[in-house]
Amino acid sequence: MYDYRNNLKRILNKTAGDDKSLQNSLSAIKAILAMAEGGEVVSTQVVPKKEKSSDHNQEKIQLFNSLLNNIAELIASPGNEKAKKEASGAIHKLTFFGGISKKYGKSLGRLDNVIQKSVETDQVVNQKIFEQALKPKKQVKRDYRTGKRYTIIRTLSGAQLTTDNGDIAFEVNESQIHSLNLKTGDIVEALENKTALGPEVEILRVVGYKNMRKRDYDQIETFRYGVVQGSSGNLSVSRNVKGQKLKIRGKNIIVPVDSSYYQNGTIHLEDGSIVDLAWYSEDVRLKKDPASAVKIRWIYETEAPKRVGKTPKKINKTNLSPTKINKTNLSPTKIETLDLDLHYQRVGIAIGDNQNEKILEEIVNKYNGIPIPINAFEGKKKAMENQIKNLDIVILVTAFAAHDSTWNIREFASKYKVKFAVSSSKGYQSFERALYRAANGMPAYEGNQQLEYKKKKIKNKAN
């Protein structure tokens, strides 16, 4: 007979007082006794079948949920690597369950193959680019404590950063100076850029002003918003956008400009470009050849329409019979302009800085409107709301506006029933169209829509 006494002692010594331990001990004792009597025992441990089955079902449900969610993600964003990996993992784990593998093994295999072949589409790529563009740019963290102070002395293009002793520490280009609207005597904090990339120094902020003696620097005169006219290779500036003539020492001057000149490697001169000019007041060349002393300080980014010539094409009347002469061919040249009259409505121009502000104000004046600049970089919502609520029309120039301000302007324009339109380009033709759409209740955004802009003909005055 089988000696079961030692087995029973070990079982009883390991038995705890909880129900599960007692149940397992009882089953083990029954198994030992059965062996002693010569019976067969399949297992010496009780397995709670319901609990085990329940755990398996719960795991299946979780895997199916994971698979379906990731398939949905792949439909919305084809080629999503994370979704592909998780969906494939869920399929592999499901195949470990006997019933599922037997019934759905082939289907799951095909599904896994299709998931692995999922790739990004152009639409997904464009959507990612669009979403990335809408994300507000992170402000660059600067340690102002490490910046050193310098005094600005303007040059014809750019400026010199001088120390307290008057020594020139750095020279910076016009792009840094123009964006901050710096002038001679401004005291700035700047950081030296010790890397090979970028400018030698970065101007952080303006911290004060120093009234300098005139003998300590060369005085400069400027002519702002000059209009470039002429054909390629024969360009010149003689007037600004307001029609004021360029005068140097009391004389009207025409300054030829070089069409091959490029600013920052991209912006070039052409007929219709808007420029700032500068020259030293005491330049000796101003007496005999003033044009040679003038330099282009800045070219504004515009999309100016080509200027129409003042003289009509000559018609050879000898080759035309009286019946073939068309009176319209002999009439003065006509300039096309939009058929728009604002009737002195108040037009808010939402723009970040005054770079193109004067040009856009001229367009509003042209159509009998009252231009009112709005700082689209203004962070205070209440201040922006107070500006917009008293307007009739507001035009947002998105090229100059901060992203968070864009939503504020749209919100307040809707709240106070102000006519609203968007000019996505810096060019004044785009702004002119936006003005037309707002005044006539057309869509705020032009996009790819085919919109009709009615035009009227205006005859040039005879010279």
Side-chain angles (χ1 to χ4, degrees), residues 300-302 351 354-360 400 426:
Y300 293 93
E301 291 186 67
T302 61
I351 193 168
N354 65 354
Q355 190 181 41
N356 283 36
E357 183 181 301
K358 295 296 181 184
I359 302 170
L360 302 183
F400 294 132
K426 303 173 186 178

Side-chain angles (χ1 to χ4, degrees), residues 274-399:
I274 309 298
V275 298
D276 284 348
L277 304 177
W279 60 92
Y280 289 114
S281 302
E282 302 302 323
D283 195 319
V284 295
R285 294 174 293 177
L286 293 177
K287 188 174 182 180
K288 292 185 178 181
D289 186 15
S292 64
V294 178
K295 184 173 182 178
I296 296 171
R297 171 173 277 186
W298 188 256
I299 305 175
Y300 293 93
E301 291 186 67
T302 61
E303 293 177 0
K306 297 297 182 183
R307 183 172 53 87
V308 179
K310 293 183 179 179
T311 56
K313 293 181 179 179
K314 293 182 179 180
I315 298 176
N316 188 354
K317 297 181 182 180
T318 57
N319 296 333
L320 295 174
S321 64
T323 57
K324 289 183 179 180
I325 297 177
N326 189 339
K327 290 183 180 180
T328 57
N329 291 336
L330 302 177
S331 64
T333 305
K334 296 180 179 180
I335 300 175
E336 286 189 342
T337 187
L338 296 179
D339 187 7
L340 174 64
D341 191 342
L342 297 173
H343 298 289
Y344 302 100
Q345 294 183 79
R346 292 160 296 181
V347 180
I349 305 172
I351 193 168
D353 53 27
N354 65 354
Q355 190 181 41
N356 283 36
E357 183 181 301
K358 295 296 181 184
I359 302 170
L360 302 183
E361 286 180 11
E362 288 296 321
I363 296 173
V364 176
N365 289 327
K366 170 185 172 182
Y367 291 108
N368 302 320
I370 303 172
I372 300 174
I374 297 173
N375 187 355
F377 282 106
E378 175 61 60
K380 297 178 181 178
K381 287 187 68 174
K382 194 65 181 177
M384 189 170 291
E385 182 176 5
N386 290 334
Q387 291 181 83
I388 292 175
K389 68 180 181 181
N390 295 320
L391 299 174
D392 299 301
I393 296 172
V394 60
I395 305 298
L396 172 64
V397 184
T398 56

